[in-house]
Amino acid sequence: MELRRYLDPRTSWRDTSEVDKVRLYTRQSLVVIVVTFGVAGLAETIVQSAWLSTAALIVSTATAVLVLQRSPGIGGMGTGDINWPLALSVTAAIVAGAAGGGATPFWGLMVVSVPVCTVISLRWALVLALVLGTATTATRYGMVGSAAAFFVVVFMATTVRLSIWLLRIVTELDGSRQAASQLSVAEERLRFSRDLHDVVGRALSAIAVKSELAAALSRRGDDRAAEQMDEVRELAQQSMTEARRLVRGYRSIDLEAEIEGACSLLAAAGIDTRVGGRPDAVASEFAEAAAWVVREGATNILRHSEATRCVIEVTAQSLRMVNDRPHGTKSGDGTGLAGLGERLAAVGGTVERTSNADEFALTATFAPRVAS
């Protein structure tokens, strides 16, 4: 996600994914480090009135930031080549160090070490640190400067590579989570299609055979053709009954099992889930509708929040799911909650959603039918 979206007052931080947040944090942390080193170096060059060094350090810092914004390894979203700004940043840092005195060369080194270590591997960064440390011994800074140059590059390389590694792990985990979700849906569809094939395929094969036999008997004027057609009708009715039973079993869900499944799913997403009350407290006529509330509520939490906790409260008259950190985006126009309302209305219940900046609550209320 681009930085301007985060700076846009119409965009809420809650509306961004955790991966986008990690990308932004990683990239902008390194940018802040570069700018901090650049400002510190500029303060010294300005005090020394080394204006050429000041201008070169400004160019080095600006191009270093440009490299970081374009580097995909740290979540950079910019487009364009990073080679020329990297080369310009290094060249400007060398000019700043040569034209300035005091610690200016080390400020320039700290500025360019971040983008350089972003581009090269840790192994080559260590080689660079050894070469630079050895070369520094020949300057006026001596062994102290050599040790400082070596540890600056090593420290920056370690910091940058760890940040890149962490971002890659977070991205891969998010991709694995999405793949697992899609695989679960595909497996369920495969199971249902296999069961449907087993139920309907056998009956249709028998119907085809008996229909051919009935047709042959009918052409010969054999009265047994009517018996075969009666059997075909019975097979068709039996097949329809089994198909309805299969669909009914696929669509019907158990409240207790659904609560356990929601707890497991939310826990896998890092959401602390607690259950109050007992599922068997809900009357049997409302149990299936309540189970659908739990299923839709869990889905809603995963899709429309960055929740860290969830509470499921079950009583004889209601079922309530509460989670924190809801997204600012309104989701009330979706078909999920509308479908819940229809299910509950069919059994005499109601569903209500309440939301504020810190909490979202989904409440289903069950009202037993009054005998007339």
Side-chain angles (χ1 to χ4, degrees), residues 154-185:
V154 170
F155 175 77
M156 288 303 169
T158 304
T159 301
V160 171
R161 301 316 300 185
L162 282 176
S163 299
I164 294 175
W165 173 78
L166 176 62
L167 179 58
R168 185 175 68 250
I169 292 299
V170 171
T171 303
E172 290 177 355
L173 287 175
D174 183 70
S176 298
R177 178 180 173 183
Q178 295 180 2
S181 176
Q182 295 173 356
L183 181 60
S184 297
V185 173

PDB file of all heavy atoms in Angstrom, residues 154-185:
ATOM      1  N   VAL A 154      28.576  -3.516   9.105  1.00  0.00           N
ATOM      2  CA  VAL A 154      28.073  -4.786   9.623  1.00  0.00           C
ATOM      3  C   VAL A 154      26.745  -4.592  10.343  1.00  0.00           C
ATOM      4  O   VAL A 154      25.788  -5.371  10.153  1.00  0.00           O
ATOM      5  CB  VAL A 154      29.106  -5.437  10.553  1.00  0.00           C
ATOM      6  CG1 VAL A 154      28.497  -6.634  11.283  1.00  0.00           C
ATOM      7  CG2 VAL A 154      30.335  -5.880   9.775  1.00  0.00           C
ATOM      8  N   PHE A 155      26.663  -3.554  11.174  1.00  0.00           N
ATOM      9  CA  PHE A 155      25.426  -3.307  11.923  1.00  0.00           C
ATOM     10  C   PHE A 155      24.270  -2.991  10.985  1.00  0.00           C
ATOM     11  O   PHE A 155      23.158  -3.522  11.136  1.00  0.00           O
ATOM     12  CB  PHE A 155      25.643  -2.157  12.904  1.00  0.00           C
ATOM     13  CG  PHE A 155      24.397  -1.756  13.643  1.00  0.00           C
ATOM     14  CD1 PHE A 155      23.916  -2.527  14.701  1.00  0.00           C
ATOM     15  CD2 PHE A 155      23.691  -0.623  13.278  1.00  0.00           C
ATOM     16  CE1 PHE A 155      22.766  -2.166  15.375  1.00  0.00           C
ATOM     17  CE2 PHE A 155      22.539  -0.261  13.948  1.00  0.00           C
ATOM     18  CZ  PHE A 155      22.078  -1.026  15.001  1.00  0.00           C
ATOM     19  N   MET A 156      24.508  -2.127  10.005  1.00  0.00           N
ATOM     20  CA  MET A 156      23.448  -1.770   9.065  1.00  0.00           C
ATOM     21  C   MET A 156      23.033  -2.967   8.217  1.00  0.00           C
ATOM     22  O   MET A 156      21.843  -3.180   7.954  1.00  0.00           O
ATOM     23  CB  MET A 156      23.905  -0.618   8.166  1.00  0.00           C
ATOM     24  CG  MET A 156      23.995   0.706   8.888  1.00  0.00           C
ATOM     25  SD  MET A 156      22.425   1.150   9.655  1.00  0.00           S
ATOM     26  CE  MET A 156      22.939   2.531  10.667  1.00  0.00           C
ATOM     27  N   ALA A 157      24.013  -3.760   7.794  1.00  0.00           N
ATOM     28  CA  ALA A 157      23.689  -4.937   6.982  1.00  0.00           C
ATOM     29  C   ALA A 157      22.840  -5.919   7.774  1.00  0.00           C
ATOM     30  O   ALA A 157      21.841  -6.464   7.261  1.00  0.00           O
ATOM     31  CB  ALA A 157      24.979  -5.605   6.501  1.00  0.00           C
ATOM     32  N   THR A 158      23.200  -6.153   9.026  1.00  0.00           N
ATOM     33  CA  THR A 158      22.430  -7.074   9.867  1.00  0.00           C
ATOM     34  C   THR A 158      21.016  -6.565  10.087  1.00  0.00           C
ATOM     35  O   THR A 158      20.034  -7.320   9.991  1.00  0.00           O
ATOM     36  CB  THR A 158      23.133  -7.266  11.219  1.00  0.00           C
ATOM     37  OG1 THR A 158      24.470  -7.714  11.004  1.00  0.00           O
ATOM     38  CG2 THR A 158      22.381  -8.273  12.073  1.00  0.00           C
ATOM     39  N   THR A 159      20.894  -5.271  10.392  1.00  0.00           N
ATOM     40  CA  THR A 159      19.574  -4.684  10.629  1.00  0.00           C
ATOM     41  C   THR A 159      18.682  -4.770   9.399  1.00  0.00           C
ATOM     42  O   THR A 159      17.512  -5.183   9.479  1.00  0.00           O
ATOM     43  CB  THR A 159      19.725  -3.208  11.051  1.00  0.00           C
ATOM     44  OG1 THR A 159      20.518  -3.127  12.238  1.00  0.00           O
ATOM     45  CG2 THR A 159      18.367  -2.578  11.310  1.00  0.00           C
ATOM     46  N   VAL A 160      19.232  -4.411   8.247  1.00  0.00           N
ATOM     47  CA  VAL A 160      18.445  -4.415   7.008  1.00  0.00           C
ATOM     48  C   VAL A 160      18.042  -5.824   6.615  1.00  0.00           C
ATOM     49  O   VAL A 160      16.880  -6.091   6.273  1.00  0.00           O
ATOM     50  CB  VAL A 160      19.239  -3.737   5.879  1.00  0.00           C
ATOM     51  CG1 VAL A 160      18.526  -3.934   4.534  1.00  0.00           C
ATOM     52  CG2 VAL A 160      19.400  -2.250   6.156  1.00  0.00           C
ATOM     53  N   ARG A 161      18.983  -6.778   6.677  1.00  0.00           N
ATOM     54  CA  ARG A 161      18.668  -8.140   6.259  1.00  0.00           C
ATOM     55  C   ARG A 161      17.667  -8.802   7.187  1.00  0.00           C
ATOM     56  O   ARG A 161      16.806  -9.580   6.757  1.00  0.00           O
ATOM     57  CB  ARG A 161      19.926  -8.997   6.180  1.00  0.00           C
ATOM     58  CG  ARG A 161      21.000  -8.497   5.227  1.00  0.00           C
ATOM     59  CD  ARG A 161      20.481  -8.041   3.888  1.00  0.00           C
ATOM     60  NE  ARG A 161      19.788  -9.074   3.134  1.00  0.00           N
ATOM     61  CZ  ARG A 161      19.333  -8.918   1.908  1.00  0.00           C
ATOM     62  NH1 ARG A 161      19.471  -7.737   1.301  1.00  0.00           N
ATOM     63  NH2 ARG A 161      18.709  -9.887   1.291  1.00  0.00           N
ATOM     64  N   LEU A 162      17.744  -8.511   8.491  1.00  0.00           N
ATOM     65  CA  LEU A 162      16.746  -9.043   9.420  1.00  0.00           C
ATOM     66  C   LEU A 162      15.364  -8.473   9.121  1.00  0.00           C
ATOM     67  O   LEU A 162      14.359  -9.176   9.203  1.00  0.00           O
ATOM     68  CB  LEU A 162      17.153  -8.725  10.862  1.00  0.00           C
ATOM     69  CG  LEU A 162      18.251  -9.607  11.469  1.00  0.00           C
ATOM     70  CD1 LEU A 162      18.610  -9.101  12.860  1.00  0.00           C
ATOM     71  CD2 LEU A 162      17.802 -11.061  11.537  1.00  0.00           C
ATOM     72  N   SER A 163      15.307  -7.183   8.788  1.00  0.00           N
ATOM     73  CA  SER A 163      14.028  -6.564   8.445  1.00  0.00           C
ATOM     74  C   SER A 163      13.435  -7.195   7.193  1.00  0.00           C
ATOM     75  O   SER A 163      12.230  -7.469   7.124  1.00  0.00           O
ATOM     76  CB  SER A 163      14.217  -5.056   8.244  1.00  0.00           C
ATOM     77  OG  SER A 163      14.681  -4.436   9.418  1.00  0.00           O
ATOM     78  N   ILE A 164      14.285  -7.436   6.188  1.00  0.00           N
ATOM     79  CA  ILE A 164      13.813  -8.065   4.955  1.00  0.00           C
ATOM     80  C   ILE A 164      13.338  -9.487   5.221  1.00  0.00           C
ATOM     81  O   ILE A 164      12.308  -9.936   4.693  1.00  0.00           O
ATOM     82  CB  ILE A 164      14.937  -8.048   3.897  1.00  0.00           C
ATOM     83  CG1 ILE A 164      15.241  -6.605   3.479  1.00  0.00           C
ATOM     84  CG2 ILE A 164      14.560  -8.893   2.689  1.00  0.00           C
ATOM     85  CD1 ILE A 164      16.412  -6.487   2.524  1.00  0.00           C
ATOM     86  N   TRP A 165      14.085 -10.211   6.048  1.00  0.00           N
ATOM     87  CA  TRP A 165      13.699 -11.589   6.390  1.00  0.00           C
ATOM     88  C   TRP A 165      12.357 -11.616   7.111  1.00  0.00           C
ATOM     89  O   TRP A 165      11.488 -12.444   6.806  1.00  0.00           O
ATOM     90  CB  TRP A 165      14.780 -12.200   7.267  1.00  0.00           C
ATOM     91  CG  TRP A 165      14.418 -13.547   7.809  1.00  0.00           C
ATOM     92  CD1 TRP A 165      14.456 -14.744   7.161  1.00  0.00           C
ATOM     93  CD2 TRP A 165      13.937 -13.834   9.130  1.00  0.00           C
ATOM     94  NE1 TRP A 165      14.038 -15.757   7.984  1.00  0.00           N
ATOM     95  CE2 TRP A 165      13.709 -15.235   9.209  1.00  0.00           C
ATOM     96  CE3 TRP A 165      13.697 -13.060  10.251  1.00  0.00           C
ATOM     97  CZ2 TRP A 165      13.246 -15.848  10.356  1.00  0.00           C
ATOM     98  CZ3 TRP A 165      13.239 -13.673  11.406  1.00  0.00           C
ATOM     99  CH2 TRP A 165      13.010 -15.044  11.455  1.00  0.00           C
ATOM    100  N   LEU A 166      12.160 -10.717   8.065  1.00  0.00           N
ATOM    101  CA  LEU A 166      10.897 -10.664   8.803  1.00  0.00           C
ATOM    102  C   LEU A 166       9.735 -10.348   7.878  1.00  0.00           C
ATOM    103  O   LEU A 166       8.666 -10.984   7.958  1.00  0.00           O
ATOM    104  CB  LEU A 166      10.987  -9.619   9.912  1.00  0.00           C
ATOM    105  CG  LEU A 166       9.704  -9.371  10.725  1.00  0.00           C
ATOM    106  CD1 LEU A 166       9.292 -10.639  11.447  1.00  0.00           C
ATOM    107  CD2 LEU A 166       9.901  -8.228  11.715  1.00  0.00           C
ATOM    108  N   LEU A 167       9.925  -9.390   6.989  1.00  0.00           N
ATOM    109  CA  LEU A 167       8.860  -9.026   6.050  1.00  0.00           C
ATOM    110  C   LEU A 167       8.533 -10.196   5.129  1.00  0.00           C
ATOM    111  O   LEU A 167       7.360 -10.457   4.837  1.00  0.00           O
ATOM    112  CB  LEU A 167       9.286  -7.806   5.234  1.00  0.00           C
ATOM    113  CG  LEU A 167       8.285  -7.304   4.192  1.00  0.00           C
ATOM    114  CD1 LEU A 167       6.955  -6.949   4.845  1.00  0.00           C
ATOM    115  CD2 LEU A 167       8.846  -6.109   3.442  1.00  0.00           C
ATOM    116  N   ARG A 168       9.543 -10.934   4.677  1.00  0.00           N
ATOM    117  CA  ARG A 168       9.286 -12.076   3.799  1.00  0.00           C
ATOM    118  C   ARG A 168       8.510 -13.168   4.525  1.00  0.00           C
ATOM    119  O   ARG A 168       7.584 -13.771   3.968  1.00  0.00           O
ATOM    120  CB  ARG A 168      10.617 -12.635   3.282  1.00  0.00           C
ATOM    121  CG  ARG A 168      10.426 -13.749   2.258  1.00  0.00           C
ATOM    122  CD  ARG A 168      11.729 -14.220   1.670  1.00  0.00           C
ATOM    123  NE  ARG A 168      12.548 -14.919   2.653  1.00  0.00           N
ATOM    124  CZ  ARG A 168      13.660 -14.443   3.167  1.00  0.00           C
ATOM    125  NH1 ARG A 168      14.101 -13.241   2.802  1.00  0.00           N
ATOM    126  NH2 ARG A 168      14.363 -15.143   4.043  1.00  0.00           N
ATOM    127  N   ILE A 169       8.866 -13.418   5.797  1.00  0.00           N
ATOM    128  CA  ILE A 169       8.159 -14.441   6.575  1.00  0.00           C
ATOM    129  C   ILE A 169       6.693 -14.048   6.770  1.00  0.00           C
ATOM    130  O   ILE A 169       5.777 -14.875   6.607  1.00  0.00           O
ATOM    131  CB  ILE A 169       8.839 -14.641   7.938  1.00  0.00           C
ATOM    132  CG1 ILE A 169      10.224 -15.268   7.762  1.00  0.00           C
ATOM    133  CG2 ILE A 169       7.976 -15.514   8.851  1.00  0.00           C
ATOM    134  CD1 ILE A 169      10.214 -16.623   7.122  1.00  0.00           C
ATOM    135  N   VAL A 170       6.441 -12.784   7.110  1.00  0.00           N
ATOM    136  CA  VAL A 170       5.064 -12.320   7.310  1.00  0.00           C
ATOM    137  C   VAL A 170       4.259 -12.451   6.017  1.00  0.00           C
ATOM    138  O   VAL A 170       3.101 -12.899   6.024  1.00  0.00           O
ATOM    139  CB  VAL A 170       5.057 -10.861   7.816  1.00  0.00           C
ATOM    140  CG1 VAL A 170       3.646 -10.295   7.807  1.00  0.00           C
ATOM    141  CG2 VAL A 170       5.638 -10.788   9.218  1.00  0.00           C
ATOM    142  N   THR A 171       4.867 -12.084   4.893  1.00  0.00           N
ATOM    143  CA  THR A 171       4.177 -12.177   3.600  1.00  0.00           C
ATOM    144  C   THR A 171       3.868 -13.624   3.245  1.00  0.00           C
ATOM    145  O   THR A 171       2.770 -13.950   2.774  1.00  0.00           O
ATOM    146  CB  THR A 171       5.038 -11.536   2.503  1.00  0.00           C
ATOM    147  OG1 THR A 171       5.337 -10.179   2.853  1.00  0.00           O
ATOM    148  CG2 THR A 171       4.307 -11.557   1.171  1.00  0.00           C
ATOM    149  N   GLU A 172       4.832 -14.523   3.471  1.00  0.00           N
ATOM    150  CA  GLU A 172       4.612 -15.937   3.168  1.00  0.00           C
ATOM    151  C   GLU A 172       3.541 -16.548   4.070  1.00  0.00           C
ATOM    152  O   GLU A 172       2.724 -17.354   3.610  1.00  0.00           O
ATOM    153  CB  GLU A 172       5.924 -16.707   3.321  1.00  0.00           C
ATOM    154  CG  GLU A 172       6.953 -16.376   2.244  1.00  0.00           C
ATOM    155  CD  GLU A 172       8.265 -17.106   2.465  1.00  0.00           C
ATOM    156  OE1 GLU A 172       8.380 -17.790   3.504  1.00  0.00           O
ATOM    157  OE2 GLU A 172       9.163 -16.985   1.613  1.00  0.00           O
ATOM    158  N   LEU A 173       3.526 -16.162   5.343  1.00  0.00           N
ATOM    159  CA  LEU A 173       2.501 -16.682   6.254  1.00  0.00           C
ATOM    160  C   LEU A 173       1.114 -16.213   5.834  1.00  0.00           C
ATOM    161  O   LEU A 173       0.145 -16.982   5.890  1.00  0.00           O
ATOM    162  CB  LEU A 173       2.797 -16.240   7.685  1.00  0.00           C
ATOM    163  CG  LEU A 173       3.975 -16.934   8.375  1.00  0.00           C
ATOM    164  CD1 LEU A 173       4.219 -16.313   9.745  1.00  0.00           C
ATOM    165  CD2 LEU A 173       3.716 -18.425   8.517  1.00  0.00           C
ATOM    166  N   ASP A 174       1.014 -14.959   5.415  1.00  0.00           N
ATOM    167  CA  ASP A 174      -0.284 -14.451   4.966  1.00  0.00           C
ATOM    168  C   ASP A 174      -0.735 -15.186   3.710  1.00  0.00           C
ATOM    169  O   ASP A 174      -1.906 -15.551   3.573  1.00  0.00           O
ATOM    170  CB  ASP A 174      -0.185 -12.949   4.701  1.00  0.00           C
ATOM    171  CG  ASP A 174      -1.516 -12.343   4.306  1.00  0.00           C
ATOM    172  OD1 ASP A 174      -2.412 -12.252   5.168  1.00  0.00           O
ATOM    173  OD2 ASP A 174      -1.677 -11.958   3.132  1.00  0.00           O
ATOM    174  N   GLY A 175       0.203 -15.433   2.777  1.00  0.00           N
ATOM    175  CA  GLY A 175      -0.146 -16.183   1.582  1.00  0.00           C
ATOM    176  C   GLY A 175      -0.551 -17.615   1.902  1.00  0.00           C
ATOM    177  O   GLY A 175      -1.482 -18.150   1.297  1.00  0.00           O
ATOM    178  N   SER A 176       0.139 -18.242   2.873  1.00  0.00           N
ATOM    179  CA  SER A 176      -0.212 -19.612   3.267  1.00  0.00           C
ATOM    180  C   SER A 176      -1.593 -19.663   3.895  1.00  0.00           C
ATOM    181  O   SER A 176      -2.354 -20.609   3.678  1.00  0.00           O
ATOM    182  CB  SER A 176       0.828 -20.140   4.255  1.00  0.00           C
ATOM    183  OG  SER A 176       2.109 -20.186   3.667  1.00  0.00           O
ATOM    184  N   ARG A 177      -1.915 -18.642   4.683  1.00  0.00           N
ATOM    185  CA  ARG A 177      -3.242 -18.608   5.314  1.00  0.00           C
ATOM    186  C   ARG A 177      -4.340 -18.509   4.263  1.00  0.00           C
ATOM    187  O   ARG A 177      -5.359 -19.200   4.349  1.00  0.00           O
ATOM    188  CB  ARG A 177      -3.302 -17.414   6.266  1.00  0.00           C
ATOM    189  CG  ARG A 177      -4.637 -17.221   6.955  1.00  0.00           C
ATOM    190  CD  ARG A 177      -4.573 -16.016   7.853  1.00  0.00           C
ATOM    191  NE  ARG A 177      -5.880 -15.691   8.410  1.00  0.00           N
ATOM    192  CZ  ARG A 177      -6.119 -14.637   9.187  1.00  0.00           C
ATOM    193  NH1 ARG A 177      -5.145 -13.822   9.490  1.00  0.00           N
ATOM    194  NH2 ARG A 177      -7.325 -14.413   9.643  1.00  0.00           N
ATOM    195  N   GLN A 178      -4.151 -17.659   3.252  1.00  0.00           N
ATOM    196  CA  GLN A 178      -5.149 -17.539   2.197  1.00  0.00           C
ATOM    197  C   GLN A 178      -5.252 -18.824   1.383  1.00  0.00           C
ATOM    198  O   GLN A 178      -6.341 -19.252   1.010  1.00  0.00           O
ATOM    199  CB  GLN A 178      -4.792 -16.358   1.298  1.00  0.00           C
ATOM    200  CG  GLN A 178      -4.855 -15.001   1.996  1.00  0.00           C
ATOM    201  CD  GLN A 178      -4.490 -13.866   1.068  1.00  0.00           C
ATOM    202  OE1 GLN A 178      -4.221 -14.064  -0.104  1.00  0.00           O
ATOM    203  NE2 GLN A 178      -4.461 -12.653   1.608  1.00  0.00           N
ATOM    204  N   ALA A 179      -4.084 -19.449   1.113  1.00  0.00           N
ATOM    205  CA  ALA A 179      -4.102 -20.694   0.350  1.00  0.00           C
ATOM    206  C   ALA A 179      -4.813 -21.799   1.116  1.00  0.00           C
ATOM    207  O   ALA A 179      -5.555 -22.597   0.537  1.00  0.00           O
ATOM    208  CB  ALA A 179      -2.666 -21.117   0.021  1.00  0.00           C
ATOM    209  N   ALA A 180      -4.591 -21.849   2.442  1.00  0.00           N
ATOM    210  CA  ALA A 180      -5.257 -22.860   3.257  1.00  0.00           C
ATOM    211  C   ALA A 180      -6.769 -22.663   3.254  1.00  0.00           C
ATOM    212  O   ALA A 180      -7.537 -23.632   3.203  1.00  0.00           O
ATOM    213  CB  ALA A 180      -4.723 -22.814   4.683  1.00  0.00           C
ATOM    214  N   SER A 181      -7.197 -21.416   3.296  1.00  0.00           N
ATOM    215  CA  SER A 181      -8.631 -21.136   3.262  1.00  0.00           C
ATOM    216  C   SER A 181      -9.245 -21.570   1.934  1.00  0.00           C
ATOM    217  O   SER A 181     -10.307 -22.198   1.898  1.00  0.00           O
ATOM    218  CB  SER A 181      -8.865 -19.638   3.498  1.00  0.00           C
ATOM    219  OG  SER A 181     -10.226 -19.320   3.384  1.00  0.00           O
ATOM    220  N   GLN A 182      -8.572 -21.249   0.833  1.00  0.00           N
ATOM    221  CA  GLN A 182      -9.071 -21.646  -0.478  1.00  0.00           C
ATOM    222  C   GLN A 182      -9.069 -23.164  -0.639  1.00  0.00           C
ATOM    223  O   GLN A 182      -9.971 -23.738  -1.252  1.00  0.00           O
ATOM    224  CB  GLN A 182      -8.229 -20.988  -1.569  1.00  0.00           C
ATOM    225  CG  GLN A 182      -8.335 -19.470  -1.596  1.00  0.00           C
ATOM    226  CD  GLN A 182      -7.365 -18.838  -2.580  1.00  0.00           C
ATOM    227  OE1 GLN A 182      -6.556 -19.528  -3.192  1.00  0.00           O
ATOM    228  NE2 GLN A 182      -7.430 -17.527  -2.709  1.00  0.00           N
ATOM    229  N   LEU A 183      -8.039 -23.824  -0.082  1.00  0.00           N
ATOM    230  CA  LEU A 183      -7.971 -25.277  -0.166  1.00  0.00           C
ATOM    231  C   LEU A 183      -9.104 -25.932   0.613  1.00  0.00           C
ATOM    232  O   LEU A 183      -9.673 -26.935   0.170  1.00  0.00           O
ATOM    233  CB  LEU A 183      -6.619 -25.757   0.364  1.00  0.00           C
ATOM    234  CG  LEU A 183      -6.375 -27.272   0.317  1.00  0.00           C
ATOM    235  CD1 LEU A 183      -6.447 -27.775  -1.117  1.00  0.00           C
ATOM    236  CD2 LEU A 183      -5.026 -27.604   0.949  1.00  0.00           C
ATOM    237  N   SER A 184      -9.447 -25.365   1.771  1.00  0.00           N
ATOM    238  CA  SER A 184     -10.543 -25.919   2.559  1.00  0.00           C
ATOM    239  C   SER A 184     -11.860 -25.843   1.793  1.00  0.00           C
ATOM    240  O   SER A 184     -12.659 -26.789   1.800  1.00  0.00           O
ATOM    241  CB  SER A 184     -10.667 -25.162   3.884  1.00  0.00           C
ATOM    242  OG  SER A 184      -9.498 -25.324   4.672  1.00  0.00           O
ATOM    243  N   VAL A 185     -12.082 -24.715   1.128  1.00  0.00           N
ATOM    244  CA  VAL A 185     -13.303 -24.564   0.334  1.00  0.00           C
ATOM    245  C   VAL A 185     -13.314 -25.568  -0.817  1.00  0.00           C
ATOM    246  O   VAL A 185     -14.333 -26.214  -1.103  1.00  0.00           O
ATOM    247  CB  VAL A 185     -13.409 -23.127  -0.207  1.00  0.00           C
ATOM    248  CG1 VAL A 185     -14.589 -23.001  -1.167  1.00  0.00           C
ATOM    249  CG2 VAL A 185     -13.569 -22.140   0.941  1.00  0.00           C
TER     250      VAL A 185
END
